[in-house]
Amino acid sequence: MNARDAILGRIRNARSDKGQSLQAAAPADAIASHLARHPRGPAPAMPDDLPARFRERALKLSSDVLETADRKEVPALLARYLNERKLPPGGVCWPSLIGLPWSGAGLDMQSRPARDSDLVGVTGAFCAIAETGTLMLLSGAETPATTSLLPETHVAVIDPRRIVATMEDAWDLLRRECKQPPRAVNFVSGPSRTADIEQTVTLGAHGPYRVLLILAPAQ
C-alpha cells in the first residue's frame, strides 16, 4: 500500500465511523454530542448589565433605542418617534403585539405580514445579543420575516430579560426552547447598509433604512 492509499483509507474509515455514530444516535443527541466535543472559543468579558451593553452596541450600529418599564407605553413612544420623523402613523405588526393600545396612541396598526407598500413594521425578537447589539429573529407563521425585512422602518419591541451575552448564548437558548428549528434565523444589526460603491456607506440598500429598538418588559 502506497502513501496515497493509506491516506484515503484513513479518510474512509473516519467517515464510516462518524456516519455510523451519527446514525446510531437521535439527531438531537448527535448535535449535543457534537457540541460537547467542541467547546466554545475565547469570548470577551461581558458586564453584568447586559441591557446597558446592548444599548451601547445598538447605538453604535445606528439603531435608535427607547425604553419603558410599561409595555403599554410602547404605542405612545412609537407614535412620538414617527411624528418627529414625519413618518406615517401606522403599519403592520406581529400578531403577538396587536393587543397593545395602538389606536389610543393614534396609530393604525394591522396584524399581517408586510407588503411592499408598508413603511413601518413592528416585531418582537426571539432574543437580543449584548455583545454586538444584534437581534435574533426566528421565522414562522406568527413571526413573518417580511415584517422586519420589507418596511423602510423596522421597530423591534424587546423584553430586556431576553438579552443574552453572546451569539453562542443565543444559539443555546434556541436549542433549549425550540424543539423544531425554524426554517430561517435572521440576525438584525442596525439598519441595512452597504459600502460597495466607492466605499461610501449607504443605509437601506437591502432592507430597512431605519431601526428602532424599544426595550419594554413583557407583561
Side-chain angles (χ1 to χ4, degrees), residues 51 54-55 65-75 77 97 100 124 156-163 213-219:
F54 175 76
R55 284 194 297 272
V65 182
L66 298 175
E67 193 167 2
T68 176
D70 185 351
R71 183 161 285 211
K72 293 180 180 177
E73 295 296 325
V74 168
L77 290 177
L97 297 170
L100 292 175
V157 183
I158 304 159
D159 186 342
R161 293 167 294 191
R162 301 285 295 182
I163 298 176
L213 309 175
I214 303 179
L215 302 182
Q219 301 298 318

Side-chain angles (χ1 to χ4, degrees), residues 46-47 50 53 128-132 163-170:
M46 297 294 292
L50 294 182
R53 171 59 183 258
I129 301 169
E131 181 184 359
T132 57
I163 298 176
V164 299
T166 66
M167 179 78 73
E168 291 87 343
D169 291 328

Side-chain angles (χ1 to χ4, degrees), residues 114-196:
R115 297 191 284 260
D116 56 0
S117 59
D118 293 313
L119 298 179
V120 178
V122 183
T123 74
F126 176 73
C127 69
I129 301 169
E131 181 184 359
T132 57
T134 299
L135 304 179
M136 184 182 198
L137 287 79
L138 311 184
S139 68
E142 300 298 310
T143 56
T146 56
T147 310
S148 64
L149 297 175
L150 281 181
E152 69 173 27
T153 298
H154 173 207
V155 181
V157 183
I158 304 159
D159 186 342
R161 293 167 294 191
R162 301 285 295 182
I163 298 176
V164 299
T166 66
M167 179 78 73
E168 291 87 343
D169 291 328
W171 286 112
D172 282 348
L173 188 64
L174 187 153
R175 283 188 286 270
R176 284 199 305 272
E177 296 188 354
C178 298
K179 295 181 180 178
Q180 182 69 32
R183 294 201 63 187
V185 177
N186 291 308
F187 293 99
V188 175
S189 299
S192 169
R193 70 191 68 204
T194 182
D196 288 347

Side-chain angles (χ1 to χ4, degrees), residues 21 25 27-38:
S21 175
D29 293 340
I31 293 173
S33 175
H34 174 84
L35 293 175
R37 295 195 307 271
H38 297 79

